[in-house]
Amino acid sequence: MARKLILLGLIATALLATSATTASAAGLMAPSTVCPTTKSSAPVGAQEEAMLCLTNYARSQYGESQLEATGELEESATEKAEDILRCDSFSHSACGREFSYWIRATGYMSAECWRVGENLAWGSGEYGSVSSIFRAWLRSPEHRSNILGDYSQVGISLDTGSLEGHDRTRVWTQHFGLHC
């Protein structure tokens, strides 16, 4: 009987933690009047801009400054998404490279002091849409930590291709950075 109560207690704790995460994530989602909802059929650039808008809205709700899009991080995010599709490996170490490989290759990490982070996601159809992916990131403590973290710059990329047997998969990459 005691084992069942402990198990039920653990399940209840997990459900409460999940509800708290979902509730706090919901408060960080921008209304469509602030960040227009873009369809998956919209041009890639418009979808990437919508993702930046959602990211900066969440940061502002959390009391953080907005992130500036930078060429180096945009290039590294694009290369990472291409690696994931090319090597058919949804991983922070796609193609056997450390997660920061492309950030370093663009020269971003050549500054004396830096901090970097990465969010990855993939989905098909509406599960790969801007709002669906962003909502999933907010519900994940590690991804939300990057979104709300101590960064000042970002690069965002969306690429589409075949991944792990799924055609027309949408791969999202966010590369975060700070030069201190």
Side-chain angles (χ1 to χ4, degrees):
M1 179 70 173
R3 292 179 82 194
K4 286 182 184 178
L5 288 177
I6 290 172
L7 180 59
L8 289 174
L10 290 174
I11 291 171
T13 302
L15 288 174
L16 287 174
T18 301
S19 296
T21 299
T22 302
S24 59
L28 297 175
M29 282 296 292
S32 60
T33 55
V34 175
C35 296
T37 304
T38 56
K39 300 277 184 203
S40 297
S41 59
V44 169
Q47 293 179 68
E48 291 170 346
E49 282 295 319
M51 185 65 79
L52 177 60
C53 183
L54 289 172
T55 300
N56 280 331
Y57 179 85
R59 289 178 63 82
S60 71
Q61 294 301 108
Y62 198 69
E64 294 293 330
S65 61
Q66 290 196 354
L67 298 175
E68 172 191 3
T70 64
E72 291 168 321
L73 292 175
E74 287 178 5
E75 180 183 343
S76 67
T78 298
E79 294 291 345
K80 179 59 162 268
E82 289 174 0
D83 266 2
I84 289 169
L85 292 171
R86 180 176 43 256
C87 295
D88 197 27
S89 171
F90 182 73
S91 168
H92 289 286
S93 56
C95 299
R97 297 181 172 135
E98 67 182 48
F99 97 89
S100 60
Y101 175 86
W102 287 111
I103 301 171
R104 186 180 312 280
T106 64
Y108 189 85
M109 293 168 61
S110 62
E112 189 173 315
C113 180
W114 49 265
R115 174 193 319 257
V116 296
E118 174 178 85
N119 281 352
L120 300 175
W122 72 271
S124 296
E126 283 308 304
Y127 292 112
S129 70
V130 176
S131 57
S132 179
I133 294 297
F134 193 72
R135 190 173 291 109
W137 278 339
L138 287 179
R139 289 177 178 163
S140 159
E142 295 83 5
H143 294 98
R144 185 174 55 213
S145 178
N146 277 339
I147 290 167
L148 304 176
D150 188 17
Y151 298 108
S152 61
Q153 300 172 318
V154 68
I156 297 171
S157 177
L158 167 61
D159 203 350
T160 304
S162 179
L163 179 65
E164 299 177 2
H166 302 277
D167 292 331
R168 296 179 6 183
T169 299
R170 303 161 55 72
V171 175
W172 284 94
T173 306
Q174 283 185 319
H175 278 172
F176 300 92
L178 171 71
H179 287 143
C180 31

